[in-house]
mmCIF file of all heavy atoms in Angstrom:
data_model
loop_
_atom_site.group_PDB
_atom_site.id
_atom_site.type_symbol
_atom_site.label_atom_id
_atom_site.label_comp_id
_atom_site.label_asym_id
_atom_site.label_seq_id
_atom_site.Cartn_x
_atom_site.Cartn_y
_atom_site.Cartn_z
ATOM 1 N N GLY C 292 -1.284 31.468 80.633
ATOM 2 C CA GLY C 292 -2.048 30.251 80.415
ATOM 3 C C GLY C 292 -1.844 29.248 81.526
ATOM 4 O O GLY C 292 -1.929 28.037 81.283
ATOM 5 N N SER C 293 -1.614 29.705 82.746
ATOM 6 C CA SER C 293 -1.309 28.808 83.864
ATOM 7 C C SER C 293 -2.468 27.811 84.073
ATOM 8 O O SER C 293 -3.652 28.208 84.038
ATOM 9 C CB SER C 293 -1.082 29.611 85.138
ATOM 10 O OG SER C 293 -0.010 30.527 84.964
ATOM 11 N N PRO C 294 -2.164 26.536 84.300
ATOM 12 C CA PRO C 294 -3.221 25.526 84.361
ATOM 13 C C PRO C 294 -4.200 25.677 85.525
ATOM 14 O O PRO C 294 -5.383 25.341 85.382
ATOM 15 C CB PRO C 294 -2.445 24.213 84.471
ATOM 16 C CG PRO C 294 -1.064 24.578 84.899
ATOM 17 C CD PRO C 294 -0.827 25.963 84.351
ATOM 18 N N ASN C 295 -3.742 26.243 86.625
ATOM 19 C CA ASN C 295 -4.620 26.494 87.797
ATOM 20 C C ASN C 295 -4.787 28.022 87.911
ATOM 21 O O ASN C 295 -4.524 28.609 88.960
ATOM 22 C CB ASN C 295 -3.971 25.907 89.044
ATOM 23 C CG ASN C 295 -4.914 25.790 90.209
ATOM 24 O OD1 ASN C 295 -6.127 25.701 90.053
ATOM 25 N ND2 ASN C 295 -4.380 25.830 91.418
ATOM 26 N N ALA C 296 -5.267 28.624 86.847
ATOM 27 C CA ALA C 296 -5.118 30.041 86.605
ATOM 28 C C ALA C 296 -5.870 30.947 87.590
ATOM 29 O O ALA C 296 -6.942 30.652 88.049
ATOM 30 C CB ALA C 296 -5.587 30.374 85.195
ATOM 31 N N GLY C 297 -5.214 32.092 87.847
ATOM 32 C CA GLY C 297 -5.877 33.252 88.416
ATOM 33 C C GLY C 297 -5.883 34.349 87.364
ATOM 34 O O GLY C 297 -5.242 34.210 86.315
ATOM 35 N N TYR C 298 -6.583 35.436 87.630
ATOM 36 C CA TYR C 298 -6.633 36.538 86.676
ATOM 37 C C TYR C 298 -6.075 37.783 87.343
ATOM 38 O O TYR C 298 -6.773 38.483 88.071
ATOM 39 C CB TYR C 298 -8.062 36.726 86.169
ATOM 40 C CG TYR C 298 -8.498 35.563 85.298
ATOM 41 C CD1 TYR C 298 -9.102 34.458 85.850
ATOM 42 C CD2 TYR C 298 -8.243 35.550 83.942
ATOM 43 C CE1 TYR C 298 -9.437 33.341 85.080
ATOM 44 C CE2 TYR C 298 -8.584 34.488 83.134
ATOM 45 C CZ TYR C 298 -9.174 33.359 83.721
ATOM 46 O OH TYR C 298 -9.517 32.285 82.904
ATOM 47 N N PHE C 299 -4.799 38.018 87.073
ATOM 48 C CA PHE C 299 -4.087 39.072 87.720
ATOM 49 C C PHE C 299 -3.760 40.176 86.694
ATOM 50 O O PHE C 299 -3.373 39.882 85.558
ATOM 51 C CB PHE C 299 -2.757 38.561 88.320
ATOM 52 C CG PHE C 299 -2.955 37.512 89.372
ATOM 53 C CD1 PHE C 299 -2.766 36.158 89.089
ATOM 54 C CD2 PHE C 299 -3.332 37.875 90.655
ATOM 55 C CE1 PHE C 299 -2.923 35.200 90.074
ATOM 56 C CE2 PHE C 299 -3.503 36.914 91.648
ATOM 57 C CZ PHE C 299 -3.304 35.574 91.358
ATOM 58 N N VAL C 300 -3.932 41.435 87.159
ATOM 59 C CA VAL C 300 -3.643 42.603 86.335
ATOM 60 C C VAL C 300 -2.624 43.483 87.060
ATOM 61 O O VAL C 300 -2.796 43.752 88.245
ATOM 62 C CB VAL C 300 -4.932 43.422 86.048
ATOM 63 C CG1 VAL C 300 -4.617 44.684 85.306
ATOM 64 C CG2 VAL C 300 -5.933 42.571 85.265
ATOM 65 N N TYR C 301 -1.579 43.894 86.362
ATOM 66 C CA TYR C 301 -0.597 44.760 86.983
ATOM 67 C C TYR C 301 -1.264 46.052 87.439
ATOM 68 O O TYR C 301 -2.056 46.644 86.673
ATOM 69 C CB TYR C 301 0.512 45.129 85.997
ATOM 70 C CG TYR C 301 1.397 44.015 85.509
ATOM 71 C CD1 TYR C 301 1.100 42.672 85.731
ATOM 72 C CD2 TYR C 301 2.542 44.309 84.787
ATOM 73 C CE1 TYR C 301 1.917 41.659 85.257
ATOM 74 C CE2 TYR C 301 3.371 43.305 84.331
ATOM 75 C CZ TYR C 301 3.060 41.972 84.546
ATOM 76 O OH TYR C 301 3.895 40.971 84.077
ATOM 77 N N ASP C 302 -0.926 46.505 88.637
ATOM 78 C CA ASP C 302 -1.549 47.725 89.180
ATOM 79 C C ASP C 302 -0.555 48.875 89.226
ATOM 80 O O ASP C 302 -0.750 49.831 89.956
ATOM 81 C CB ASP C 302 -2.131 47.468 90.562
ATOM 82 C CG ASP C 302 -1.091 47.009 91.562
ATOM 83 O OD1 ASP C 302 0.072 46.761 91.181
ATOM 84 O OD2 ASP C 302 -1.428 46.897 92.760
ATOM 85 N N ASP C 303 0.491 48.819 88.402
ATOM 86 C CA ASP C 303 1.532 49.855 88.428
ATOM 87 C C ASP C 303 1.010 51.218 87.948
ATOM 88 O O ASP C 303 1.364 52.269 88.525
ATOM 89 C CB ASP C 303 2.726 49.468 87.554
ATOM 90 C CG ASP C 303 3.354 48.166 88.011
ATOM 91 O OD1 ASP C 303 2.746 47.089 87.760
ATOM 92 O OD2 ASP C 303 4.432 48.194 88.613
ATOM 93 N N ASP C 304 0.224 51.239 86.904
ATOM 94 C CA ASP C 304 -0.280 52.478 86.330
ATOM 95 C C ASP C 304 -1.827 52.434 86.300
ATOM 96 O O ASP C 304 -2.385 51.531 85.678
ATOM 97 C CB ASP C 304 0.236 52.699 84.919
ATOM 98 C CG ASP C 304 -0.249 54.009 84.302
ATOM 99 O OD1 ASP C 304 0.346 55.059 84.561
ATOM 100 O OD2 ASP C 304 -1.261 53.936 83.576
ATOM 101 N N PRO C 305 -2.495 53.370 86.960
ATOM 102 C CA PRO C 305 -3.964 53.287 87.055
ATOM 103 C C PRO C 305 -4.697 53.297 85.721
ATOM 104 O O PRO C 305 -5.680 52.588 85.558
ATOM 105 C CB PRO C 305 -4.323 54.508 87.904
ATOM 106 C CG PRO C 305 -3.084 54.830 88.686
ATOM 107 C CD PRO C 305 -1.943 54.468 87.761
ATOM 108 N N ALA C 306 -4.210 54.103 84.767
ATOM 109 C CA ALA C 306 -4.902 54.197 83.510
ATOM 110 C C ALA C 306 -4.826 52.894 82.721
ATOM 111 O O ALA C 306 -5.821 52.407 82.148
ATOM 112 C CB ALA C 306 -4.354 55.363 82.683
ATOM 113 N N ILE C 307 -3.637 52.306 82.680
ATOM 114 C CA ILE C 307 -3.478 51.024 81.960
ATOM 115 C C ILE C 307 -4.252 49.918 82.696
ATOM 116 O O ILE C 307 -4.933 49.102 82.078
ATOM 117 C CB ILE C 307 -2.012 50.646 81.810
ATOM 118 C CG1 ILE C 307 -1.265 51.709 80.993
ATOM 119 C CG2 ILE C 307 -1.872 49.293 81.148
ATOM 120 C CD1 ILE C 307 0.226 51.457 80.853
ATOM 121 N N GLU C 308 -4.122 49.901 84.016
ATOM 122 C CA GLU C 308 -4.830 48.887 84.814
ATOM 123 C C GLU C 308 -6.334 48.930 84.518
ATOM 124 O O GLU C 308 -6.976 47.879 84.349
ATOM 125 C CB GLU C 308 -4.576 49.148 86.290
ATOM 126 C CG GLU C 308 -5.285 48.148 87.206
ATOM 127 C CD GLU C 308 -5.135 48.501 88.671
ATOM 128 O OE1 GLU C 308 -4.766 49.641 88.991
ATOM 129 O OE2 GLU C 308 -5.436 47.613 89.512
ATOM 130 N N THR C 309 -6.899 50.128 84.451
ATOM 131 C CA THR C 309 -8.326 50.273 84.234
ATOM 132 C C THR C 309 -8.752 49.734 82.865
ATOM 133 O O THR C 309 -9.832 49.110 82.718
ATOM 134 C CB THR C 309 -8.754 51.738 84.365
ATOM 135 O OG1 THR C 309 -8.469 52.165 85.709
ATOM 136 C CG2 THR C 309 -10.227 51.933 84.081
ATOM 137 N N VAL C 310 -7.919 49.955 81.849
ATOM 138 C CA VAL C 310 -8.234 49.403 80.512
ATOM 139 C C VAL C 310 -8.423 47.885 80.598
ATOM 140 O O VAL C 310 -9.373 47.331 80.037
ATOM 141 C CB VAL C 310 -7.128 49.752 79.505
ATOM 142 C CG1 VAL C 310 -7.293 48.974 78.220
ATOM 143 C CG2 VAL C 310 -7.138 51.253 79.206
ATOM 144 N N PHE C 311 -7.562 47.211 81.344
ATOM 145 C CA PHE C 311 -7.673 45.757 81.450
ATOM 146 C C PHE C 311 -8.783 45.301 82.412
ATOM 147 O O PHE C 311 -9.561 44.404 82.092
ATOM 148 C CB PHE C 311 -6.331 45.170 81.911
ATOM 149 C CG PHE C 311 -5.260 45.173 80.847
ATOM 150 C CD1 PHE C 311 -4.006 45.690 81.090
ATOM 151 C CD2 PHE C 311 -5.534 44.643 79.591
ATOM 152 C CE1 PHE C 311 -3.012 45.700 80.128
ATOM 153 C CE2 PHE C 311 -4.536 44.624 78.601
ATOM 154 C CZ PHE C 311 -3.284 45.166 78.874
ATOM 155 N N THR C 312 -8.888 45.955 83.558
ATOM 156 C CA THR C 312 -9.892 45.511 84.523
ATOM 157 C C THR C 312 -11.297 45.773 83.980
ATOM 158 O O THR C 312 -12.198 44.985 84.234
ATOM 159 C CB THR C 312 -9.714 46.199 85.895
ATOM 160 O OG1 THR C 312 -9.696 47.618 85.730
ATOM 161 C CG2 THR C 312 -8.404 45.761 86.554
ATOM 162 N N ASP C 313 -11.496 46.846 83.238
ATOM 163 C CA ASP C 313 -12.803 47.093 82.631
ATOM 164 C C ASP C 313 -13.171 45.990 81.656
ATOM 165 O O ASP C 313 -14.333 45.566 81.589
ATOM 166 C CB ASP C 313 -12.782 48.437 81.888
ATOM 167 C CG ASP C 313 -12.908 49.634 82.842
ATOM 168 O OD1 ASP C 313 -13.087 49.436 84.048
ATOM 169 O OD2 ASP C 313 -12.795 50.768 82.341
ATOM 170 N N TRP C 314 -12.160 45.504 80.909
ATOM 171 C CA TRP C 314 -12.445 44.409 79.959
ATOM 172 C C TRP C 314 -12.905 43.151 80.704
ATOM 173 O O TRP C 314 -13.899 42.529 80.340
ATOM 174 C CB TRP C 314 -11.177 44.102 79.110
ATOM 175 C CG TRP C 314 -11.419 43.118 78.018
ATOM 176 C CD1 TRP C 314 -11.778 43.395 76.739
ATOM 177 C CD2 TRP C 314 -11.325 41.677 78.112
ATOM 178 N NE1 TRP C 314 -11.921 42.217 76.010
ATOM 179 C CE2 TRP C 314 -11.661 41.143 76.842
ATOM 180 C CE3 TRP C 314 -11.030 40.802 79.144
ATOM 181 C CZ2 TRP C 314 -11.670 39.793 76.576
ATOM 182 C CZ3 TRP C 314 -11.042 39.425 78.893
ATOM 183 C CH2 TRP C 314 -11.356 38.946 77.616
ATOM 184 N N PHE C 315 -12.181 42.780 81.763
ATOM 185 C CA PHE C 315 -12.568 41.610 82.528
ATOM 186 C C PHE C 315 -13.895 41.824 83.248
ATOM 187 O O PHE C 315 -14.751 40.912 83.281
ATOM 188 C CB PHE C 315 -11.465 41.253 83.532
ATOM 189 C CG PHE C 315 -10.256 40.582 82.904
ATOM 190 C CD1 PHE C 315 -9.070 41.279 82.716
ATOM 191 C CD2 PHE C 315 -10.318 39.247 82.538
ATOM 192 C CE1 PHE C 315 -7.977 40.666 82.156
ATOM 193 C CE2 PHE C 315 -9.220 38.611 81.949
ATOM 194 C CZ PHE C 315 -8.040 39.336 81.769
ATOM 195 N N ASP C 316 -14.100 43.009 83.822
ATOM 196 C CA ASP C 316 -15.355 43.296 84.528
ATOM 197 C C ASP C 316 -16.551 43.143 83.597
ATOM 198 O O ASP C 316 -17.606 42.627 84.012
ATOM 199 C CB ASP C 316 -15.329 44.710 85.089
ATOM 200 C CG ASP C 316 -14.399 44.879 86.270
ATOM 201 O OD1 ASP C 316 -13.932 43.847 86.829
ATOM 202 O OD2 ASP C 316 -14.110 46.029 86.670
ATOM 203 N N ALA C 317 -16.427 43.585 82.362
ATOM 204 C CA ALA C 317 -17.526 43.503 81.407
ATOM 205 C C ALA C 317 -17.918 42.054 81.114
ATOM 206 O O ALA C 317 -19.035 41.787 80.659
ATOM 207 C CB ALA C 317 -17.162 44.220 80.121
ATOM 208 N N ARG C 318 -17.021 41.146 81.398
ATOM 209 C CA ARG C 318 -17.277 39.711 81.153
ATOM 210 C C ARG C 318 -17.504 38.929 82.441
ATOM 211 O O ARG C 318 -17.538 37.709 82.423
ATOM 212 C CB ARG C 318 -16.115 39.136 80.344
ATOM 213 C CG ARG C 318 -16.127 39.652 78.901
ATOM 214 C CD ARG C 318 -14.755 39.686 78.260
ATOM 215 N NE ARG C 318 -14.872 40.246 76.901
ATOM 216 C CZ ARG C 318 -14.918 41.558 76.662
ATOM 217 N NH1 ARG C 318 -14.881 42.419 77.649
ATOM 218 N NH2 ARG C 318 -15.031 41.989 75.426
ATOM 219 N N GLY C 319 -17.610 39.652 83.541
ATOM 220 C CA GLY C 319 -17.895 39.028 84.812
ATOM 221 C C GLY C 319 -16.743 38.225 85.367
ATOM 222 O O GLY C 319 -16.965 37.257 86.099
ATOM 223 N N ILE C 320 -15.519 38.607 85.023
ATOM 224 C CA ILE C 320 -14.325 37.868 85.458
ATOM 225 C C ILE C 320 -13.599 38.713 86.498
ATOM 226 O O ILE C 320 -13.044 39.778 86.168
ATOM 227 C CB ILE C 320 -13.382 37.560 84.292
ATOM 228 C CG1 ILE C 320 -14.128 36.782 83.198
ATOM 229 C CG2 ILE C 320 -12.166 36.790 84.777
ATOM 230 C CD1 ILE C 320 -13.366 36.711 81.881
ATOM 231 N N PRO C 321 -13.607 38.331 87.763
ATOM 232 C CA PRO C 321 -12.915 39.111 88.787
ATOM 233 C C PRO C 321 -11.403 39.089 88.569
ATOM 234 O O PRO C 321 -10.853 38.100 88.086
ATOM 235 C CB PRO C 321 -13.284 38.407 90.099
ATOM 236 C CG PRO C 321 -14.464 37.550 89.769
ATOM 237 C CD PRO C 321 -14.310 37.162 88.321
#
Side-chain angles (χ1 to χ4, degrees):
S293 302
N295 195 26
Y298 291 89
F299 298 102
V300 175
Y301 295 11
D302 60 353
D303 301 74
D304 181 84
I307 299 177
E308 180 186 16
T309 298
V310 169
F311 287 130
T312 55
D313 283 354
W314 187 91
F315 284 105
D316 288 347
R318 289 153 183 81
I320 304 167

